[in-house]
PDB file of all heavy atoms in Angstrom:
ATOM      1  N   ARG A 528    -117.955 -31.475-124.041  1.00 97.00           N
ATOM      2  CA  ARG A 528    -118.548 -31.476-122.731  1.00 97.00           C
ATOM      3  C   ARG A 528    -117.921 -32.542-121.811  1.00 97.00           C
ATOM      4  O   ARG A 528    -117.688 -32.332-120.613  1.00 97.00           O
ATOM      5  CB  ARG A 528    -120.043 -31.701-122.813  1.00 97.00           C
ATOM      6  CG  ARG A 528    -120.846 -30.564-123.422  1.00 97.00           C
ATOM      7  CD  ARG A 528    -122.331 -30.832-123.350  1.00 97.00           C
ATOM      8  NE  ARG A 528    -123.097 -29.650-123.816  1.00 97.00           N
ATOM      9  CZ  ARG A 528    -123.441 -29.447-125.101  1.00 97.00           C
ATOM     10  NH1 ARG A 528    -123.080 -30.340-126.049  1.00 97.00           N
ATOM     11  NH2 ARG A 528    -124.143 -28.388-125.430  1.00 97.00           N
ATOM     12  N   HIS A 529    -117.658 -33.687-122.412  1.00 98.00           N
ATOM     13  CA  HIS A 529    -116.989 -34.741-121.670  1.00 98.00           C
ATOM     14  C   HIS A 529    -115.579 -34.285-121.251  1.00 98.00           C
ATOM     15  O   HIS A 529    -115.126 -34.566-120.131  1.00 98.00           O
ATOM     16  CB  HIS A 529    -116.876 -36.001-122.559  1.00 98.00           C
ATOM     17  CG  HIS A 529    -116.093 -37.112-121.934  1.00 98.00           C
ATOM     18  ND1 HIS A 529    -116.641 -37.957-120.974  1.00 98.00           N
ATOM     19  CD2 HIS A 529    -114.829 -37.565-122.152  1.00 98.00           C
ATOM     20  CE1 HIS A 529    -115.711 -38.865-120.623  1.00 98.00           C
ATOM     21  NE2 HIS A 529    -114.589 -38.640-121.336  1.00 98.00           N
ATOM     22  N   PHE A 530    -114.895 -33.614-122.129  1.00 98.00           N
ATOM     23  CA  PHE A 530    -113.550 -33.095-121.873  1.00 98.00           C
ATOM     24  C   PHE A 530    -113.568 -32.158-120.611  1.00 98.00           C
ATOM     25  O   PHE A 530    -112.702 -32.273-119.737  1.00 98.00           O
ATOM     26  CB  PHE A 530    -113.041 -32.375-123.091  1.00 98.00           C
ATOM     27  CG  PHE A 530    -111.680 -31.745-122.989  1.00 98.00           C
ATOM     28  CD1 PHE A 530    -110.535 -32.560-122.928  1.00 98.00           C
ATOM     29  CD2 PHE A 530    -111.564 -30.347-122.953  1.00 98.00           C
ATOM     30  CE1 PHE A 530    -109.300 -31.970-122.856  1.00 98.00           C
ATOM     31  CE2 PHE A 530    -110.281 -29.766-122.871  1.00 98.00           C
ATOM     32  CZ  PHE A 530    -109.161 -30.584-122.802  1.00 98.00           C
ATOM     33  N   ILE A 531    -114.522 -31.252-120.577  1.00 97.00           N
ATOM     34  CA  ILE A 531    -114.601 -30.338-119.452  1.00 97.00           C
ATOM     35  C   ILE A 531    -114.929 -31.079-118.182  1.00 97.00           C
ATOM     36  O   ILE A 531    -114.350 -30.794-117.109  1.00 97.00           O
ATOM     37  CB  ILE A 531    -115.631 -29.207-119.766  1.00 97.00           C
ATOM     38  CG1 ILE A 531    -115.177 -28.362-120.900  1.00 97.00           C
ATOM     39  CG2 ILE A 531    -115.936 -28.416-118.528  1.00 97.00           C
ATOM     40  CD1 ILE A 531    -116.203 -27.340-121.394  1.00 97.00           C
ATOM     41  N   GLU A 532    -115.816 -32.003-118.275  1.00 97.00           N
ATOM     42  CA  GLU A 532    -116.273 -32.749-117.090  1.00 97.00           C
ATOM     43  C   GLU A 532    -115.199 -33.567-116.440  1.00 97.00           C
ATOM     44  O   GLU A 532    -115.033 -33.627-115.209  1.00 97.00           O
ATOM     45  CB  GLU A 532    -117.506 -33.639-117.422  1.00 97.00           C
ATOM     46  CG  GLU A 532    -118.031 -34.385-116.265  1.00 97.00           C
ATOM     47  CD  GLU A 532    -119.225 -35.270-116.683  1.00 97.00           C
ATOM     48  OE1 GLU A 532    -119.703 -35.148-117.846  1.00 97.00           O
ATOM     49  OE2 GLU A 532    -119.694 -36.075-115.852  1.00 97.00           O
ATOM     50  N   VAL A 533    -114.450 -34.315-117.280  1.00 97.00           N
ATOM     51  CA  VAL A 533    -113.390 -35.170-116.774  1.00 97.00           C
ATOM     52  C   VAL A 533    -112.326 -34.402-116.018  1.00 97.00           C
ATOM     53  O   VAL A 533    -111.783 -34.857-115.006  1.00 97.00           O
ATOM     54  CB  VAL A 533    -112.780 -35.973-117.936  1.00 97.00           C
ATOM     55  CG1 VAL A 533    -111.464 -36.641-117.498  1.00 97.00           C
ATOM     56  CG2 VAL A 533    -113.740 -37.023-118.450  1.00 97.00           C
ATOM     57  N   LEU A 534    -112.037 -33.183-116.487  1.00 97.00           N
ATOM     58  CA  LEU A 534    -110.922 -32.399-115.936  1.00 97.00           C
ATOM     59  C   LEU A 534    -111.380 -31.317-115.004  1.00 97.00           C
ATOM     60  O   LEU A 534    -110.580 -30.438-114.609  1.00 97.00           O
ATOM     61  CB  LEU A 534    -110.115 -31.818-117.098  1.00 97.00           C
ATOM     62  CG  LEU A 534    -109.484 -32.799-118.075  1.00 97.00           C
ATOM     63  CD1 LEU A 534    -108.859 -32.062-119.267  1.00 97.00           C
ATOM     64  CD2 LEU A 534    -108.451 -33.652-117.345  1.00 97.00           C
ATOM     65  N   THR A 535    -112.629 -31.345-114.636  1.00 95.00           N
ATOM     66  CA  THR A 535    -113.180 -30.211-113.815  1.00 95.00           C
ATOM     67  C   THR A 535    -112.510 -30.104-112.452  1.00 95.00           C
ATOM     68  O   THR A 535    -112.430 -29.026-111.851  1.00 95.00           O
ATOM     69  CB  THR A 535    -114.678 -30.407-113.646  1.00 95.00           C
ATOM     70  OG1 THR A 535    -115.244 -29.235-113.015  1.00 95.00           O
ATOM     71  CG2 THR A 535    -114.991 -31.596-112.778  1.00 95.00           C
ATOM     72  N   ASP A 536    -111.968 -31.220-111.880  1.00 94.00           N
ATOM     73  CA  ASP A 536    -111.296 -31.169-110.611  1.00 94.00           C
ATOM     74  C   ASP A 536    -109.778 -30.863-110.736  1.00 94.00           C
ATOM     75  O   ASP A 536    -109.103 -30.822-109.742  1.00 94.00           O
ATOM     76  CB  ASP A 536    -111.448 -32.499-109.876  1.00 94.00           C
ATOM     77  CG  ASP A 536    -112.877 -32.697-109.346  1.00 94.00           C
ATOM     78  OD1 ASP A 536    -113.578 -31.697-109.110  1.00 94.00           O
ATOM     79  OD2 ASP A 536    -113.305 -33.856-109.168  1.00 94.00           O
ATOM     80  N   ASP A 537    -109.370 -30.680-111.998  1.00 95.00           N
ATOM     81  CA  ASP A 537    -107.962 -30.376-112.227  1.00 95.00           C
ATOM     82  C   ASP A 537    -107.783 -28.908-112.566  1.00 95.00           C
ATOM     83  O   ASP A 537    -106.955 -28.201-111.979  1.00 95.00           O
ATOM     84  CB  ASP A 537    -107.400 -31.247-113.323  1.00 95.00           C
ATOM     85  CG  ASP A 537    -107.400 -32.732-112.985  1.00 95.00           C
ATOM     86  OD1 ASP A 537    -106.646 -33.091-112.051  1.00 95.00           O
ATOM     87  OD2 ASP A 537    -108.141 -33.490-113.637  1.00 95.00           O
ATOM     88  N   ILE A 538    -108.513 -28.482-113.626  1.00 96.00           N
ATOM     89  CA  ILE A 538    -108.383 -27.100-114.072  1.00 96.00           C
ATOM     90  C   ILE A 538    -109.783 -26.576-114.455  1.00 96.00           C
ATOM     91  O   ILE A 538    -110.712 -27.401-114.661  1.00 96.00           O
ATOM     92  CB  ILE A 538    -107.446 -26.970-115.300  1.00 96.00           C
ATOM     93  CG1 ILE A 538    -107.941 -27.732-116.472  1.00 96.00           C
ATOM     94  CG2 ILE A 538    -105.986 -27.383-114.893  1.00 96.00           C
ATOM     95  CD1 ILE A 538    -107.156 -27.567-117.762  1.00 96.00           C
ATOM     96  N   GLU A 539    -109.872 -25.288-114.619  1.00 96.00           N
ATOM     97  CA  GLU A 539    -111.144 -24.714-115.094  1.00 96.00           C
ATOM     98  C   GLU A 539    -111.016 -24.593-116.622  1.00 96.00           C
ATOM     99  O   GLU A 539    -110.057 -24.041-117.169  1.00 96.00           O
ATOM    100  CB  GLU A 539    -111.361 -23.346-114.484  1.00 96.00           C
ATOM    101  CG  GLU A 539    -112.670 -22.679-114.959  1.00 96.00           C
ATOM    102  CD  GLU A 539    -112.877 -21.288-114.390  1.00 96.00           C
ATOM    103  OE1 GLU A 539    -111.886 -20.705-113.899  1.00 96.00           O
ATOM    104  OE2 GLU A 539    -114.037 -20.779-114.467  1.00 96.00           O
ATOM    105  N   ILE A 540    -112.032 -25.092-117.325  1.00 97.00           N
ATOM    106  CA  ILE A 540    -112.097 -25.016-118.768  1.00 97.00           C
ATOM    107  C   ILE A 540    -113.419 -24.353-119.160  1.00 97.00           C
ATOM    108  O   ILE A 540    -114.468 -24.766-118.674  1.00 97.00           O
ATOM    109  CB  ILE A 540    -112.007 -26.444-119.425  1.00 97.00           C
ATOM    110  CG1 ILE A 540    -110.756 -27.157-118.948  1.00 97.00           C
ATOM    111  CG2 ILE A 540    -112.015 -26.317-120.969  1.00 97.00           C
ATOM    112  CD1 ILE A 540    -110.646 -28.576-119.492  1.00 97.00           C
ATOM    113  N   ILE A 541    -113.353 -23.353-120.023  1.00 97.00           N
ATOM    114  CA  ILE A 541    -114.525 -22.632-120.455  1.00 97.00           C
ATOM    115  C   ILE A 541    -114.609 -22.684-121.993  1.00 97.00           C
ATOM    116  O   ILE A 541    -113.638 -22.951-122.655  1.00 97.00           O
ATOM    117  CB  ILE A 541    -114.523 -21.183-119.998  1.00 97.00           C
ATOM    118  CG1 ILE A 541    -113.287 -20.433-120.504  1.00 97.00           C
ATOM    119  CG2 ILE A 541    -114.573 -21.126-118.423  1.00 97.00           C
ATOM    120  CD1 ILE A 541    -113.250 -18.947-120.102  1.00 97.00           C
ATOM    121  N   GLU A 542    -115.840 -22.523-122.462  1.00 96.00           N
ATOM    122  CA  GLU A 542    -116.074 -22.601-123.914  1.00 96.00           C
ATOM    123  C   GLU A 542    -115.563 -21.381-124.618  1.00 96.00           C
ATOM    124  O   GLU A 542    -114.948 -21.485-125.715  1.00 96.00           O
ATOM    125  CB  GLU A 542    -117.556 -22.808-124.125  1.00 96.00           C
ATOM    126  CG  GLU A 542    -117.929 -23.150-125.579  1.00 96.00           C
ATOM    127  CD  GLU A 542    -119.399 -23.417-125.713  1.00 96.00           C
ATOM    128  OE1 GLU A 542    -120.130 -23.433-124.686  1.00 96.00           O
ATOM    129  OE2 GLU A 542    -119.837 -23.634-126.892  1.00 96.00           O
ATOM    130  N   TYR A 543    -115.794 -20.193-124.041  1.00 94.00           N
ATOM    131  CA  TYR A 543    -115.389 -18.952-124.674  1.00 94.00           C
ATOM    132  C   TYR A 543    -114.789 -18.027-123.593  1.00 94.00           C
ATOM    133  O   TYR A 543    -115.055 -18.174-122.423  1.00 94.00           O
ATOM    134  CB  TYR A 543    -116.557 -18.224-125.314  1.00 94.00           C
ATOM    135  CG  TYR A 543    -117.281 -19.057-126.332  1.00 94.00           C
ATOM    136  CD1 TYR A 543    -118.569 -19.586-126.049  1.00 94.00           C
ATOM    137  CD2 TYR A 543    -116.808 -19.303-127.622  1.00 94.00           C
ATOM    138  CE1 TYR A 543    -119.261 -20.367-126.980  1.00 94.00           C
ATOM    139  CE2 TYR A 543    -117.465 -20.077-128.556  1.00 94.00           C
ATOM    140  CZ  TYR A 543    -118.688 -20.604-128.220  1.00 94.00           C
ATOM    141  OH  TYR A 543    -119.388 -21.357-129.141  1.00 94.00           O
ATOM    142  N   LEU A 544    -114.061 -16.997-124.057  1.00 95.00           N
ATOM    143  CA  LEU A 544    -113.550 -15.972-123.164  1.00 95.00           C
ATOM    144  C   LEU A 544    -114.717 -15.189-122.552  1.00 95.00           C
ATOM    145  O   LEU A 544    -115.758 -15.006-123.221  1.00 95.00           O
ATOM    146  CB  LEU A 544    -112.647 -15.029-123.929  1.00 95.00           C
ATOM    147  CG  LEU A 544    -111.166 -15.343-124.025  1.00 95.00           C
ATOM    148  CD1 LEU A 544    -110.467 -14.333-124.960  1.00 95.00           C
ATOM    149  CD2 LEU A 544    -110.518 -15.426-122.685  1.00 95.00           C
ATOM    150  N   PRO A 545    -114.573 -14.762-121.349  1.00 94.00           N
ATOM    151  CA  PRO A 545    -115.621 -13.878-120.765  1.00 94.00           C
ATOM    152  C   PRO A 545    -115.784 -12.617-121.639  1.00 94.00           C
ATOM    153  O   PRO A 545    -114.855 -12.183-122.295  1.00 94.00           O
ATOM    154  CB  PRO A 545    -115.059 -13.532-119.400  1.00 94.00           C
ATOM    155  CG  PRO A 545    -114.136 -14.658-119.060  1.00 94.00           C
ATOM    156  CD  PRO A 545    -113.539 -15.061-120.380  1.00 94.00           C
ATOM    157  N   THR A 546    -116.923 -12.036-121.577  1.00 92.00           N
ATOM    158  CA  THR A 546    -117.253 -10.885-122.453  1.00 92.00           C
ATOM    159  C   THR A 546    -116.294  -9.751-122.294  1.00 92.00           C
ATOM    160  O   THR A 546    -115.889  -9.100-123.257  1.00 92.00           O
ATOM    161  CB  THR A 546    -118.694 -10.423-122.154  1.00 92.00           C
ATOM    162  OG1 THR A 546    -119.590 -11.517-122.294  1.00 92.00           O
ATOM    163  CG2 THR A 546    -119.097  -9.309-123.099  1.00 92.00           C
ATOM    164  N   ARG A 547    -115.856  -9.485-121.044  1.00 92.00           N
ATOM    165  CA  ARG A 547    -115.012  -8.336-120.808  1.00 92.00           C
ATOM    166  C   ARG A 547    -113.615  -8.496-121.410  1.00 92.00           C
ATOM    167  O   ARG A 547    -112.865  -7.538-121.547  1.00 92.00           O
ATOM    168  CB  ARG A 547    -114.902  -8.077-119.287  1.00 92.00           C
ATOM    169  CG  ARG A 547    -114.251  -9.150-118.518  1.00 92.00           C
ATOM    170  CD  ARG A 547    -114.209  -8.767-117.019  1.00 92.00           C
ATOM    171  NE  ARG A 547    -113.531  -9.746-116.192  1.00 92.00           N
ATOM    172  CZ  ARG A 547    -114.107 -10.828-115.675  1.00 92.00           C
ATOM    173  NH1 ARG A 547    -115.404 -11.082-115.945  1.00 92.00           N
ATOM    174  NH2 ARG A 547    -113.422 -11.627-114.883  1.00 92.00           N
ATOM    175  N   TYR A 548    -113.283  -9.779-121.744  1.00 93.00           N
ATOM    176  CA  TYR A 548    -111.968 -10.002-122.378  1.00 93.00           C
ATOM    177  C   TYR A 548    -112.063 -10.404-123.849  1.00 93.00           C
ATOM    178  O   TYR A 548    -111.030 -10.529-124.496  1.00 93.00           O
ATOM    179  CB  TYR A 548    -111.233 -11.113-121.616  1.00 93.00           C
ATOM    180  CG  TYR A 548    -110.844 -10.784-120.225  1.00 93.00           C
ATOM    181  CD1 TYR A 548    -111.469 -11.445-119.146  1.00 93.00           C
ATOM    182  CD2 TYR A 548    -109.926  -9.810-119.931  1.00 93.00           C
ATOM    183  CE1 TYR A 548    -111.138 -11.158-117.827  1.00 93.00           C
ATOM    184  CE2 TYR A 548    -109.575  -9.482-118.612  1.00 93.00           C
ATOM    185  CZ  TYR A 548    -110.181 -10.172-117.586  1.00 93.00           C
ATOM    186  OH  TYR A 548    -109.878  -9.869-116.256  1.00 93.00           O
ATOM    187  N   ALA A 549    -113.252 -10.569-124.316  1.00 89.00           N
ATOM    188  CA  ALA A 549    -113.455 -11.057-125.686  1.00 89.00           C
ATOM    189  C   ALA A 549    -112.832 -10.109-126.740  1.00 89.00           C
ATOM    190  O   ALA A 549    -112.312 -10.556-127.770  1.00 89.00           O
ATOM    191  CB  ALA A 549    -114.946 -11.255-125.987  1.00 89.00           C
ATOM    192  N   ALA A 550    -112.927  -8.808-126.492  1.00 88.00           N
ATOM    193  CA  ALA A 550    -112.461  -7.822-127.435  1.00 88.00           C
ATOM    194  C   ALA A 550    -110.962  -7.465-127.203  1.00 88.00           C
ATOM    195  O   ALA A 550    -110.363  -6.718-127.975  1.00 88.00           O
ATOM    196  CB  ALA A 550    -113.298  -6.570-127.399  1.00 88.00           C
ATOM    197  N   LYS A 551    -110.406  -8.006-126.147  1.00 87.00           N
ATOM    198  CA  LYS A 551    -109.045  -7.697-125.770  1.00 87.00           C
ATOM    199  C   LYS A 551    -108.046  -8.498-126.646  1.00 87.00           C
ATOM    200  O   LYS A 551    -108.249  -9.737-126.808  1.00 87.00           O
ATOM    201  CB  LYS A 551    -108.803  -7.978-124.304  1.00 87.00           C
ATOM    202  CG  LYS A 551    -107.407  -7.594-123.850  1.00 87.00           C
ATOM    203  CD  LYS A 551    -107.283  -7.858-122.331  1.00 87.00           C
ATOM    204  CE  LYS A 551    -105.877  -7.557-121.819  1.00 87.00           C
ATOM    205  NZ  LYS A 551    -105.523  -6.134-122.022  1.00 87.00           N
ATOM    206  N   LYS A 552    -107.083  -7.910-127.205  1.00 92.00           N
ATOM    207  CA  LYS A 552    -106.074  -8.603-127.974  1.00 92.00           C
ATOM    208  C   LYS A 552    -105.166  -9.377-127.053  1.00 92.00           C
ATOM    209  O   LYS A 552    -104.486  -8.759-126.196  1.00 92.00           O
ATOM    210  CB  LYS A 552    -105.287  -7.637-128.880  1.00 92.00           C
ATOM    211  CG  LYS A 552    -104.358  -8.327-129.854  1.00 92.00           C
ATOM    212  CD  LYS A 552    -103.663  -7.372-130.743  1.00 92.00           C
ATOM    213  CE  LYS A 552    -102.738  -8.082-131.692  1.00 92.00           C
ATOM    214  NZ  LYS A 552    -102.016  -7.106-132.625  1.00 92.00           N
ATOM    215  N   PRO A 553    -105.060 -10.651-127.211  1.00 94.00           N
ATOM    216  CA  PRO A 553    -104.198 -11.423-126.282  1.00 94.00           C
ATOM    217  C   PRO A 553    -102.765 -11.273-126.660  1.00 94.00           C
ATOM    218  O   PRO A 553    -102.360 -10.913-127.785  1.00 94.00           O
ATOM    219  CB  PRO A 553    -104.673 -12.899-126.570  1.00 94.00           C
ATOM    220  CG  PRO A 553    -105.141 -12.894-127.984  1.00 94.00           C
ATOM    221  CD  PRO A 553    -105.746 -11.513-128.168  1.00 94.00           C
ATOM    222  N   LEU A 554    -101.893 -11.554-125.697  1.00 95.00           N
ATOM    223  CA  LEU A 554    -100.469 -11.567-125.880  1.00 95.00           C
ATOM    224  C   LEU A 554    -100.071 -12.919-126.607  1.00 95.00           C
ATOM    225  O   LEU A 554    -100.393 -13.992-126.120  1.00 95.00           O
ATOM    226  CB  LEU A 554     -99.691 -11.453-124.585  1.00 95.00           C
ATOM    227  CG  LEU A 554     -98.189 -11.584-124.656  1.00 95.00           C
ATOM    228  CD1 LEU A 554     -97.592 -10.394-125.395  1.00 95.00           C
ATOM    229  CD2 LEU A 554     -97.579 -11.722-123.247  1.00 95.00           C
TER     230      LEU A 554
END
Side-chain angles (χ1 to χ4, degrees):
R528 290 186 175 89
H529 175 78
F530 179 70
I531 293 174
E532 181 181 352
V533 166
L534 300 174
T535 188
D536 288 335
D537 296 295
I538 62 173
E539 181 183 16
I540 304 175
I541 58 176
E542 189 176 357
Y543 305 105
L544 273 174
T546 304
R547 64 180 183 275
Y548 294 112
K551 183 178 178 62
K552 186 177 181 180
L554 175 67

